Amino acid sequence: MPGLIGRKIGMTQIFDDDGRAVGVTVLEVGPCPVVQIKTAARDGYDAVQLGFGRVKESNVRRPAKKPAKGHAARAGLDHVPRVLAEFDFENEDLEPGQQLTVDMFEVGSRVDVSGTTKGRGFQGVVKRHGFAGGRGSHGGSSVLRKPGSIGAGTDPSRVIKGMKMAGRMGGTKHMAMSRRVIRVDAEKNLLIVRGSIPGARNNIVMVRPGR
């Protein structure tokens, strides 16, 4: 079972059988058509390429989209997927044009969900790394959110690589490991998993079977 592409709808809470509120994330997962199957003999590695969503027909007519339209047509698709992604292919019986749906996941199973975290822009050390900052009294108003000393003395007389400093925060790929599947709605292509998932609403996510 390779995995599926989806998007994050948002977070909410549901009540379990014991009446406890459980924070969950709702994902719209699939349907994902098989666009291409790559083999080690032809491509150098084994993988399956899946698609998700569809590009507007008005945008498909643009010359830049002609290669994508031909690529999708070779798989027998009548539309151009908006997102393409590759997953590990383990000698499963898949064919181009085949639709993979959220039915492949079961309630109680575990999944790994990867996505792009929210971008926070350029941030200081207090927000980015949780530094306490300087003292707030006795003349400390000028060092409230400063990082403090960053040097390493006379030897080696330079800032050591990897020092926690101000910089760009967020906007990186992150994977939420081993999230439990709470509910599966095959009719609406919804997958409800326990806990949080990286990214903002409508963020594209990759859902793979957990270990």
Side-chain angles (χ1 to χ4, degrees):
M1 186 168 62
L4 289 178
I5 312 171
R7 69 182 182 95
K8 177 179 177 180
I9 294 179
M11 289 198 69
T12 183
Q13 67 177 14
I14 61 176
F15 294 92
D16 59 12
D17 296 336
D18 298 328
R20 295 175 297 184
V22 179
V24 297
T25 302
V26 182
L27 306 173
E28 180 187 357
V29 181
C32 297
V34 177
V35 181
Q36 184 182 6
I37 295 178
K38 298 190 175 183
T39 61
R42 184 182 67 243
D43 305 291
Y45 63 98
D46 294 322
V48 56
Q49 186 184 72
L50 303 180
F52 176 72
R54 67 171 60 218
V55 178
K56 291 182 179 179
E57 189 63 30
S58 59
N59 293 333
V60 174
R61 302 191 191 100
R62 298 168 55 188
K65 285 295 182 181
K66 285 187 177 181
K69 184 177 181 180
H71 184 61
R74 281 192 293 271
L77 303 181
D78 58 354
H79 66 280
V80 176
R82 188 166 69 92
V83 180
L84 293 176
E86 291 184 359
F87 295 85
D88 292 337
F89 185 64
E90 299 178 355
N91 297 324
E92 299 182 34
D93 188 15
L94 299 178
E95 297 179 356
Q98 180 179 347
Q99 296 282 342
L100 302 183
T101 64
V102 74
D103 287 337
M104 62 191 300
F105 298 108
E106 299 179 354
V107 175
S109 61
R110 301 277 182 169
V111 293
D112 297 337
V113 185
S114 61
T116 303
T117 60
K118 293 181 180 179
R120 302 299 185 182
F122 191 96
Q123 299 296 333
V125 294
V126 173
K127 181 171 183 177
R128 190 183 188 202
H129 299 295
F131 281 20
R135 53 196 284 176
S137 62
H138 297 282
S141 60
S142 61
V143 294
L144 286 177
R145 303 179 71 86
K146 297 294 181 66
S149 176
I150 61 173
T154 304
D155 185 17
S157 297
R158 61 182 174 85
V159 178
I160 303 299
K161 289 184 178 180
M163 180 71 66
K164 293 182 178 180
M165 300 178 69
R168 186 173 179 177
M169 180 181 178
T172 58
K173 188 176 181 180
H174 179 75
M175 178 177 287
M177 304 289 291
S178 192
R179 294 291 190 263
R180 184 181 296 276
V181 176
I182 302 299
R183 292 179 185 174
V184 178
D185 190 339
E187 183 178 351
K188 297 181 180 180
N189 299 316
L190 297 181
L191 185 70
I192 301 178
V193 298
R194 180 166 185 164
S196 60
I197 298 300
R201 294 184 185 93
N202 296 318
N203 183 45
I204 297 297
V205 296
M206 307 295 166
V207 184
R208 296 176 173 86
R211 298 177 179 85

